């Protein structure tokens, strides 16, 4: 820490991103929920030398062509959409500015681990709402709050989803609170709240191109909601970083969202792989939470989460393990290609068969 840091950041605990290893080519990388399939073909085709030369010019601060393409995809008006440098940036703007009058933000105790960091950096009072049995988010626990509510649906890292009716019950019971639904994984089988935007001016839906659109490296996220709330977010954006989306990402995003067939094809494949993989891992005795995301959250009595993570690593398979003691027995496994998941199952069988599992499990 330098002597120049303002005292209010001295205790800030930054978010820990999943590892992005340098030798990723040699690894089966199932730790940060990236899509195993490449971006839509149009994305690759649109970026040519000319577009690279255009980088000498600023990008469109409104990213209008992209927000229009997003609005078109959802049947919304352009004013109901704002794009950001990843949905992380959009979430940052929300925690910065849309904390409501009370400055309180409610979110599930186990959820996206960036939320408490944003509360910390932006001075919001984060309130963790406990989960029900088997990590279920209980809608009634969010009724009649006095601040903003942020719910990841499907939740991370559990993969469990609320129905649209359950989300609506939370909206109904919080007419004067903003309810943010972080739908980073919604395209893998959960019900989106986007259809409720016309009826609830307190709803803000956040989505990303990082998972279901295979563009994690392009950093494109967006929020959908009531025009007044989107205008507030634009107020923050234009006070912070007007050119928040670069020219190449805008082009890539437009191509990705236009290609509905590719989107349907790739997300369908991932859902199918997830279901087959869940059955296989369950057959090995794992407790696998019912997932509507492109990952599963799983634990076994025969090996601790930490030991399983470390053992897979020896097979060059990278998954995610969280230290939080409530979930320390679990690992989060991203759904990759069928071949990658077969390798993981084969490695798991070997790990369980080698006596190492039991003893390492006790130590881990
Ligand atoms: C991946 C993820 C995001 C961030 O996505 P980016 O658009 O890549 O910034 C937001 N929320 C949740 C719950 C995520 O898992």
């Amino acid at each position: 820490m330098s002597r120049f840091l303002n005292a209010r950041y001295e205790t800030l605990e930054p978010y820990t991103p999943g590892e992005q290893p340098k030798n990723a080519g040699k690894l089966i990388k199932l730790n940060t929920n990236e899509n195993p399939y490449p971006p839509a073909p149009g994305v690759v085709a649109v970026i040519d030398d000319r577009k690279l030369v255009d980088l000498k010019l600023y990008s469109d601060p409104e990213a209008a062509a992209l927000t229009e393409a997003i609005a078109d995809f959802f049947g919304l008006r352009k004013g109901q959409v704002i794009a950001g440098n990843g949905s992380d940036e959009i979430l940052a703007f929300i925690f910065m500015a849309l904390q409501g009058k009370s400055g309180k933000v409610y979110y599930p105790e186990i959820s996206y681990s960036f939320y408490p960091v944003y509360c910390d950096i932006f001075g919001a009072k984060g309130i963790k709402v406990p989960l029900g049995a088997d990590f279920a988010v209980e809608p009634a626990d969010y009724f009649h709050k006095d601040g903003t509510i942020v719910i990841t649906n499907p939740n991370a890292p559990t993969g469990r989803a609320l129905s649209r009716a359950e989300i609506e019950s939370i909206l109904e019971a919080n007419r004067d609170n903003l309810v943010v639904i972080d739908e980073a994984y919604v395209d893998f089988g959960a019900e989106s709240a986007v259809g409720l935007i016309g009826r609830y001016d307190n709803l803000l839906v956040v989505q990303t191109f990082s998972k279901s659109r295979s563009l994690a490296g392009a950093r494109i996220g967006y929020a959908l909601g009531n025009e007044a709330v989107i205008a507030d977010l634009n107020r923050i954006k234009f006070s912070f970083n007007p050119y928040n989306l670069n020219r190449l990402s805008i082009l890539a995003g437009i191509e990705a969202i236009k290609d509905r067939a590719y989107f349907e094809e790739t997300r369908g494949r991932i859902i199918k792989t997830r279901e087959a993989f869940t059955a296989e891992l369950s057959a090995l005795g794992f407790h696998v939470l019912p997932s509507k995301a492109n990952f599963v959250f799983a634990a076994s009595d025969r090996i601790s989460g930490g030991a399983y993570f470390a053992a897979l690593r020896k097979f060059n398979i990278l998954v995610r393990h969280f230290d939080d003691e409530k979930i320390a027995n679990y690992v989060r496994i991203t759904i990759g290609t069928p071949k990658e998941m077969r390798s993981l199952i084969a490695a798991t069988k070997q790990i369980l068969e080698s006596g190492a599992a039991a003893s390492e499990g006790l130590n881990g």
Side-chain angles (χ1 to χ4, degrees), residues 86-88 91 112 115 152 156 182 184-185 208 210-211 216 219-221:
S87 56
D88 285 340
L91 290 165
Y112 189 31
Y115 303 152
T152 308
D182 181 348
Y185 301 103
T208 176
S210 296
K211 279 85 185 212
R219 315 301 307 124
I220 311 168

Side-chain angles (χ1 to χ4, degrees), residues 225-244:
N226 174 269
E227 267 136 340
V229 178
I230 298 298
D232 288 344
L233 288 173
N234 269 309
R235 196 179 164 84
I236 301 305
K237 169 192 140 138
F238 281 90
S239 308
F240 182 78
N241 186 14
Y243 307 106
N244 60 341

